[in-house]
Amino acid sequence: MKQAADPVVYFGNYTPVGDIIVICICIIILILIQTTYINRTRSFSIFFSMLCCLFVASVMDILYHVTLTIYGIHSSGYALIYIARFVYHFLLYGILFLYVWYITEVQKLNWNQRMIVFSVAGIGLITILVYDMLGSLLGFGFRIDNNVQVEGFNEFIFGYVYFVSIIVFLLIKYRNTIFRNVMIGFYGSAVVSFLILGIQVMYQQTSFTVSTFLLPIICMFYLLHSNPYDVESGAVSLSALEDLISYNYRRNREMIIISLYMKDFEGEGKHFPKELRTVIRRFAGEFFKGAVMFQVNSAHVILIADTYKNPDYENRVNRIINAFLAEYERFQYKYKLIIGKSIDEISRRNEYVGFIKDIMMRMEDNDVHFIEYSDVTVYNKHKYILDELGDIYRRRDMNDSRIEVYCQPVYNVKTKKYDTAEALMRLKLPEIGMVFPDQFIHLAEEYGYIHVLSLIILQKTCAQIRKLIVAGYEVKRISVNISVLEMRDENFCNDINAVIKSSGIPDDKIAIEVTESQNESDFIVMKAMINELKEHGIKFYLDDFGTGYSNFERIMELPFDIIKFDRSLVIASGEGEKSEKMVESLANMFANMNYSVLYEGVENELDEKMCIKMSASYLQGYKYSRPIPIERLTEFFDKRIS
């Protein structure tokens, strides 16, 4: 027993330093929560509740000891002492219970597992609190009797050990559900807390009890809830975007979304220059209240703001557009700007990144697009196509019925026959029917599905060539389009050779069409792949010559067999004598170097005569045939003469 009149003995050497430090740190964390972006998950809500309980517990611990100091020898203050002490313990037990709940949330335990844990923790919590209360009321626990403080049985240590045992059990039992470094953080903070508590008991101190609860909370905040801003641009990592969308959708809050993409900075090792980051940082904080900016990649940022904080958002949008266009005059970087309000359907599915990317694919450079619901309709179609492409990729069925081969016959000027053709890919999907290449090739390339699609087309083309040969038709070759991106795969040549060999047709019955690449590394890889496959007799076409990028030096280095002149050159040659001579000179140059020249987009007799005059070896276009199912090539190819 301790005499209340002797404060030194009575308080067990308590000082409020530990609690004051905890209060200060809690306030700092609360400030950080308000000034940085935090993932508003359910686990964060539990964490925030723990932080609030810790703050109040520190206040109550100080209040409890201050009450002891003021009323320790006066019976009029006993009730305040009992209440302060009970609330203090209730908050500490509550933190321990919340810690158990937090661990189950982080470990993503199923409902049954959580119910077992909550039952064990809940029974313990109620039992300890009832014991604490009854102990003071019935006299077998903490009480003040005749101005003397009697501790009785110290149920707090028992409760502390009880909850810590549950937490340790969960961390060990379900350790495989948590990343190792996060687990080390939990263990490390717990060990330090136990050491502080042990040292405190050893020296008969009570000043730092609440501090031992603070350390795991700091660990949680740093490991699981911190999401720092980029110091220069003010952007938050993309991982927080879905959380913000979900948070606002659950609360039925409408958002303003502004997306900025600058393709000059797309790619590994690239980033916005310092001057531009300064402008973006200003945009992130100046035009909208409470706006958060997310970094999608090195060239793409998304700004999101709540409309309820910005009721005059239309004026703010106009201001930010005007300010952006003024900055564009200074920097002159290509951009795509997308602006609009949130749409429930996209918010519910939390697909704004994909939705915005889909819009960007359909935009021209240096354009501003305002989001409309029609964008959702287009996106849903593209998403369905993408899902089907993903399924085709995963199944890798070389006879997948969703991929159909169409062909466009090619007229041989020398033989005046149709003995070659170009294989063209089509998708035939259950919900939307026929899908043309311009609607899915870019998706297949972006998501890495293109090579499997090409192998399926090659397989089906080879199978049809074999049928034509067996049926006695003259087939010089059929070309298949290949993406440059496929050639980055070291197994590309083996895959192509394997399909052709398994079909049982001669290698020279297949040709591959590729488009020239601007990328130096792609050029080197392309050159090696072409040389390797040409050793097997496969022919190569340079596709789309005359559109965009053309480097004659590189073309000369690549061992193409046929140069395909784009329709744009056919049109240009008909616009005047100067243009015709220029195109003719290019064609003659290639012909003199033993390249065959194929003109695409021949639509009438005038086009045909002009192209034949300009060294054409092959002609392709609507004059001869639109793309047809590959099975209908028998309508154009001749049978061999016995």
Side-chain angles (χ1 to χ4, degrees), residues 507 564 614:
D507 293 319
K564 293 188 72 171
M614 297 187 298

Side-chain angles (χ1 to χ4, degrees), residues 134 146 163 166 178-179 287 313 346 398 450 508 531 590:
L134 292 177
N146 297 322
F163 278 103
I166 296 174
I178 299 179
F179 179 51
F287 291 93
Y313 63 86
I346 303 299
M398 293 296 107
I450 189 64
D508 63 359
N531 281 321
F590 284 119

Side-chain angles (χ1 to χ4, degrees), residues 522-534:
D522 283 346
F523 169 76
I524 295 171
V525 170
M526 182 190 294
K527 184 177 179 180
M529 297 290 185
I530 291 176
N531 281 321
E532 181 176 343
L533 290 174
K534 279 183 69 69

